[in-house]
Amino acid sequence: MDILSASGTMKPALWRWNKVQSEKILVALAGQPNCGKSTVFNALTGASQHVANYPGVTVDKMTGWYRHNGRKVEVVDLPGSYSLTSYSPEERVSRDFILHEKPSVTVNVMDASNLKRCLYLTFQLLEMDIPVILNLNMMDVVKQRKLDIDTDKLSNRLGIAVVPTAMKQGRGKKELMEAIDKVALSEHTVRAARIEYGEMEPVIRNIMKRLSSETSLESLYPIRWLAIKLMEGDREVQRLVQENHSDFKSLLAYVEKLREDFEALYDEAPEVHIANRRYQMADDITRDCLRLPASAKRPFSDKIDGLVCHRILGPIIMIGVIWLLYYLAIVQGYNLTNYTWPVLAKLRGLVESLTPDPGFIEIPLSRAFFLWVVDSVNALLNYIPIFFILFGLIAILEDSGYMPRMAFIMDRLFSRYGLHGQSTLPMVLGGIYVGGCAVPAIMSCKGIPDERSRLATILIIPMLNCLAKVPLYVLLINIYFAAHKAWAMFFISTISLLLVLPVSKILTLTILRDKETAPFVMEMPSYHMPTIRGVVGRALERVWLFVRKITTIVVSVAVIIFMLLQFPGISKDRMAYYHGEKDKAITAFQKRIKGTGYAEGLQGDNLMALVLYWDEYISTRMTVKDEEAAAGMNASFKERNPVFFSIVQPGDDKDAKKVNKAFKGLFKERKGMLREIRKERIDNSFLGRLGKWMEPVTRWAGFHWRVNVALLSALAAKESSVATLGALYEQEEEGEALEKRMAKGEEGFTPLHALALMLFMVLYPPCLATAIAVKIQAGSARWMLFSIIYPMVLGIAVAILVFSLGSALGLSGLQAMFAFYGLALALTIFMGLYKNKLDNID
Amino acid sequence: MTLDQMKPSSEGRIKRISVKDKLGQRLMDMGVYAGLRLKVIRNAPLEDPMEIELDGYFVSLRHDEARFVEVE
Ligand SMILES: Nc1nc2c(ncn2[C@@H]2O[C@H](COP(=O)(O)OP(=O)(O)OP(=O)(O)O)[C@@H](O)[C@H]2O)c(=O)[nH]1
Ligand SMILES: [Mg+2]
C-alpha cells in the first residue's frame, strides 16, 4: 500500500494508537533480515512460511492467525529490513503497513546474538510511537556463545516488554503469546525509550512546530517521526508533505536549508548524525545489558568460512556442491522415477479403461482427449522424485547459510554481466549444466535485492538447460552426432551459459538500463545446522505447490494444443475412403479364415472384441517380466475368453494357427490405417497449417514444417516436442526407436539441421509454467510477453545464422558446432571486459 | 585510506562515509558508522567482493562500495 493513499480517509484526531475493541488482535512481526521472523510466524500460526538462513527471503508480507484466550490473533510477517528508510521496497512495505494498518502490537523479532545492531531498528520502531514488544529470538545461540543478556534491565532501559525465545525449538512461544495479549489489551502509553538527537533537537522541534501548525499531518502520523524523517531527507515523507500541504514548497525549502546549515555547522550530514546517535544509544544499552565472554567469536563459522571462501578451495567446494546437487537430484532422482513411473502408467491404464473403447478405425474423441491430458500431466508428475530431492537439497543449502557464500564467490563474475552474486542459486537451479527447472529457479530470484539484476536473471533463466529440453538433445545427438556424442553433449551443456551471459549484459545495457539498482552490501550469517524436519517439510510443501500450480496450467494448455492438433479434422470424403479400406481389409480377412472353426465366431462386433483383446494382451505382456507372472497372466486371459486365447496363443492347433496369422495381418493393416489417419489429421490441423505457414522463414534455419509443429507443441511443455515428433514419425515396426524412425522419415536432415534445431531449443521461449512464474516474479504481464517473444526472435536468428551460414560455407555439423562455440566464447569474454559504469552509486 | 585499499586481516577505525543516499544509508544501516573498529577478513576468490567484520558481525561488500568508507 502506498504511504499516501490512506491519508485522506482518516478522521482528524491526534495520532493515536487504536485500542483493541473487537475480538481480534492484529500483530505485525518486524525485524532485520534473517532474525527468524518467519520462524516465529510459523510457530505462532502453525503455517509453513518460507524460512531460510539467507537474508531477504520473505519479500511480501504474509498473513496468518491463531486463537489465544478466546481471541483471534491475526499475524502479519513483514519483510526483513535493516532499517526503515524509503530506499528499498521491503522497508517501504514494512513501514507503510505499520503506519496504515496500525497493528495492535508490533513484535520486533531480533537475533539476540546480534543485540547492538538489531537495536538500531528497534529505536526506529519506537520512534513511530507504536506499541512494541521486543522478541529476543535465537536465545539458544546466545547461550551457546556464552553471551549473557540481562533481559530485565533491557526491558527497563527500553521501556517495553522483552520476551526471550528460541523459536526454532519452539521455546518461549507461550510467553510471547501472553505478552502480545497483555500489550494489545492495555492502553498504549508512551514510556518507551526515546533517542535524543543532541544538537539536532532544536531543529527537529522547529520542524514539528511548522508541521503541526501548517498541516493536518499530526492527526495521521507520529509527528516527531515525520520531522526526523524530513531531516534524514526521506523522499516518501517529502512526498507526504507535498500532498498534504498547500505551500509545501516553502516548508520543504525550509527543511532543506536546515539540513544544509546543520551539515555546514557540524561537518556531518544530518542522516549520518541520526544514524550515529542511534548506534551510540544501542552501544550504550548493549554495554549495560550484555556481558561478553572472554572471546565472543564464532569459531565454528569462521573455520568453515576459512575453507568455503578460500581462494582455491572455495570455488572447488562450490563446484563440488553444485555437482552433488545435480548428481543427487537429477541422476539419482531420475533413477527413482523407475519406481514411480509404473504408478503413473497404472493411472493411465485406469483412465484408458474408463473411456469408450476405440473402433476399428475411429478413435472416440473423448478417449483421445483424456489420454492426451493424462499423458501431458504424467510427463510432469514424472519429475516429482527429482523435484523432491532438489527442493530438499535447496532447503539444506538455505538453512545452513551456504547461499550467501555462493553469492560472495560468484558476484565478481556475474556482476560483470549485469547479474548479481545472488543470481547463483537461480542459475544453478535453472540448469547451468544439464538438467534444471526454470520454475523453481525463477521463484528463487525473489531474494535478489537489485531490481535490474533480478529482472535480468529472471529473463535469462529460461535459456538454461531445463530438464525437459534434454530428451530432444539426446534424441538429436544420438541420430546426428553419434560418433561425437561426448563433444556434442559437452557443447550443448555449456553453450547455454555462453549465450546467457552476453544476453544478460545486453539486456541490462538496454531495456533494463533504467531499473532500480541496490548496493551489494550483504550480511554473512553464521552457519546453522539444518533440521531434518525442516528440510523434509519444506521439500514436501514446495513439491505440493508445484503440483498444484503447474498441473492446472499444463492441463489447460494441453487442452488447447489438443484442439489445435485435432481440428478441423479429416474431411467426410477421406473418412469414407478409409471406411472403404477397412471393409476391404475385413472382407479379405474373413475370406482367409473361411472354413476354420473360428470363422463363425469372428463376425461383426466379435471381431472388434478380438481386436481389443489382442491389444490388451500385448500391452499387458509388455509390463510382465518373469515367467511366473506371465503364466498367471495367460491363465487370466484364458479364463476371460478361451476362444480368443487360443487365437492369441495357437499352440499346435492348425486352425488356430491359420487364424492367428491372418489376424496378425489384419491387425497390422489396422495400425497402418490409424497411423495414416492421424498423420492426415495433423497435416490438416490448425497447428499443422501454422507449421506450414511458417516454413518460408524457418526453412532458412533448416526447419521442416513437421519440426515446426513439434516446436509449437513444445510451448506447453518442452517434453511435448519429443512426444509430438514421436506422433509425427509414427512407428511402423513394433518397438522401433524414435531415433531410427526419425532418421528414416527425415531424409536430407543433416547434422547441421540438427545443430540449428538444438540451438533453437536452447533459446526456446519459456514453457507456460515458467511464463506464469515470470509474471509472478517480474510483477507484470508485459515482462511475461517479453520473456516469450525475445527468445523466439533470438532463437530463430541464431538458428538461421548457423544453418544458412554453415550451408553456405559447406561446414559439417561438427565444424559448425565448434565455430559457433568459439564465437559465443569470444562474445562472452568481450562482453565481460566491457565494464558497466558504477550506477548503483548515485 | 579507504576501505577498498585495505589488505585482508588488517584492522582500522572507520572515520567517515563519503557517500550519501542509497549506498551511504545502506552502509550505515548495515552497521558501518564512524568510530567503529573494523577488520578485513578476506577477499573473495576473484578479489571482489570483500568480507569485513564489524563488532562480531560479518558483512561483505564490493570494492567499488568500500572505496567510500574512509578508515584510519
Ligand atoms: N538457532 C536458532 N536458529 C533460528 C531460530 N529462529 C530461526 N532460526 C534460523 O534462522 C534462519 C532465519 O530464519 P527465518 O525465519 O527465515 O528469518 P526471517 O527473519 O524470516 O528472514 P527473512 O525473511 O530473510 O527476513 C533460519 O535458518 C532459521 O532456521 C532460533 O531461535 N534459534
Ligand atoms: Mg522470512
Side-chain angles (χ1 to χ4, degrees), chain A residues 658-821:
Chain A
K658 194 172 173 187
V659 177
N660 175 285
K661 203 164 159 229
F663 188 79
K664 262 189 190 153
L666 179 69
F667 197 78
K668 203 169 157 189
E669 269 182 277
R670 171 179 180 251
K671 272 210 150 165
M673 271 183 248
L674 285 174
R675 181 172 61 241
E676 284 285 304
I677 293 174
R678 175 144 18 145
K679 208 164 178 175
E680 194 169 326
R681 186 180 292 123
I682 292 178
D683 279 15
N684 224 355
S685 71
F686 292 120
L687 215 57
R689 289 180 199 180
L690 193 60
K692 281 181 196 150
W693 178 76
M694 290 183 349
E695 208 180 51
V697 177
T698 59
R699 213 179 59 214
W700 296 101
F703 302 167
H704 191 276
W705 71 267
R706 277 189 185 161
V707 172
N708 290 349
V709 173
L711 290 176
L712 285 170
S713 72
L715 275 174
K718 293 195 181 77
E719 39 282 270
S720 315
S721 63
V722 171
T724 315
L725 281 173
L728 289 170
Y729 301 102
E730 194 72 36
Q731 46 197 111
E732 276 165 32
E733 298 295 324
E734 213 44 74
E736 193 183 19
L738 180 57
E739 274 91 342
K740 287 221 192 91
R741 284 181 267 143
M742 188 164 170
K744 231 192 265 175
E746 262 324 330
E747 283 175 24
F749 204 81
T750 63
L752 196 60
H753 286 83
L755 179 67
L757 183 53
M758 285 198 291
L759 282 172
F760 184 79
M761 202 57 180
V762 169
L763 296 168
Y764 196 85
C767 68
L768 242 104
T770 308
I772 303 289
V774 170
K775 179 164 175 273
I776 296 170
Q777 288 305 321
S780 88
R782 273 179 43 219
W783 282 121
M784 179 180 85
L785 280 182
F786 180 75
S787 79
I788 294 174
I789 292 166
Y790 96 88
M792 264 199 232
V793 174
L794 193 65
I796 201 77
V798 165
I800 289 177
L801 174 84
V802 168
F803 182 74
S804 295
L805 205 65
S807 318
L809 297 174
L811 296 181
S812 75
L814 202 65
Q815 283 167 335
M817 189 187 275
F818 280 116
F820 185 77
Y821 200 81

Side-chain angles (χ1 to χ4, degrees), chain A residues 91-159:
Chain A
E91 294 174 79
R92 289 193 292 262
V93 167
S94 301
R95 163 172 133 168
D96 290 355
F97 182 85
I98 292 173
L99 287 173
H100 294 143
E101 305 300 320
K102 299 189 175 178
S104 336
V105 186
T106 298
V107 175
N108 178 199
V109 183
M110 74 153 70
D111 171 0
S113 66
N114 234 320
L115 188 62
K116 188 168 114 190
R117 204 181 38 92
C118 291
L119 283 175
Y120 177 77
L121 181 75
T122 309
F123 294 133
Q124 298 189 51
L125 287 169
L126 292 178
E127 223 149 50
M128 290 164 93
D129 196 11
I130 53 174
V132 177
I133 293 176
L134 185 62
N135 172 209
L136 292 177
N137 193 30
M138 306 216 187
M139 286 305 280
D140 53 318
V141 181
V142 170
K143 206 183 255 162
Q144 197 191 321
R145 282 203 216 146
K146 304 200 169 58
L147 307 176
D148 184 13
I149 300 178
D150 185 341
T151 48
D152 291 337
K153 205 178 223 172
L154 187 60
S155 170
N156 267 332
R157 293 277 325 246
L158 290 172

Side-chain angles (χ1 to χ4, degrees), chain A residues 37-38 49-51 57-58 77-78:
Chain A
K37 289 176 302 303
S38 298
Q49 248 273 59
H50 192 166
V51 173
V57 172
T58 310
D77 184 18
L78 294 172

Side-chain angles (χ1 to χ4, degrees), chain A residues 26-30 37-42 44-51 57-66 73-80 90 93-94 97 101 103 446 541 545 548-549:
Chain A
L26 179 62
V27 175
L29 300 180
K37 289 176 302 303
S38 298
T39 310
V40 172
F41 178 85
N42 292 347
L44 287 179
T45 64
S48 41
Q49 248 273 59
H50 192 166
V51 173
V57 172
T58 310
V59 179
D60 319 301
K61 50 181 197 282
M62 278 289 261
T63 311
W65 60 276
Y66 65 88
V73 183
E74 200 175 311
V75 188
V76 177
D77 184 18
L78 294 172
E90 302 84 62
V93 167
S94 301
F97 182 85
E101 305 300 320
K446 217 157 59 169
E541 174 201 328
L545 193 80
R548 235 179 28 203
K549 268 207 178 141

Side-chain angles (χ1 to χ4, degrees), chain A residues 544-648:
Chain A
W544 174 232
L545 193 80
F546 171 83
V547 169
R548 235 179 28 203
K549 268 207 178 141
I550 303 308
T551 43
T552 48
I553 295 163
V554 165
V555 167
S556 41
V557 176
V559 171
I560 294 170
I561 301 266
F562 175 80
M563 306 228 270
L564 289 177
L565 276 172
Q566 194 77 18
F567 295 106
I570 296 176
S571 68
K572 277 216 178 78
D573 289 355
R574 291 295 297 165
M575 215 48 215
Y577 161 80
Y578 283 117
H579 273 290
E581 291 290 295
K582 163 191 140 184
D583 292 342
K584 257 189 254 165
I586 292 179
T587 317
F589 169 73
Q590 300 288 19
K591 215 182 206 161
R592 228 171 292 156
I593 63 167
K594 211 166 198 165
T596 65
Y598 296 97
E600 275 297 287
L602 289 178
Q603 300 293 331
D605 285 349
N606 274 349
L607 180 63
M608 198 51 225
L610 177 60
V611 169
L612 295 178
Y613 184 89
W614 185 284
D615 221 8
E616 201 182 332
Y617 185 82
I618 290 173
S619 58
T620 317
R621 203 179 49 195
M622 300 254 258
T623 63
V624 169
K625 291 207 178 78
D626 54 306
E627 296 274 310
E628 210 173 305
M633 179 196 109
N634 278 341
S636 89
F637 268 86
K638 192 167 187 172
E639 196 185 338
R640 255 173 53 189
N641 193 329
V643 180
F644 284 177
F645 188 76
S646 60
I647 298 175
V648 177

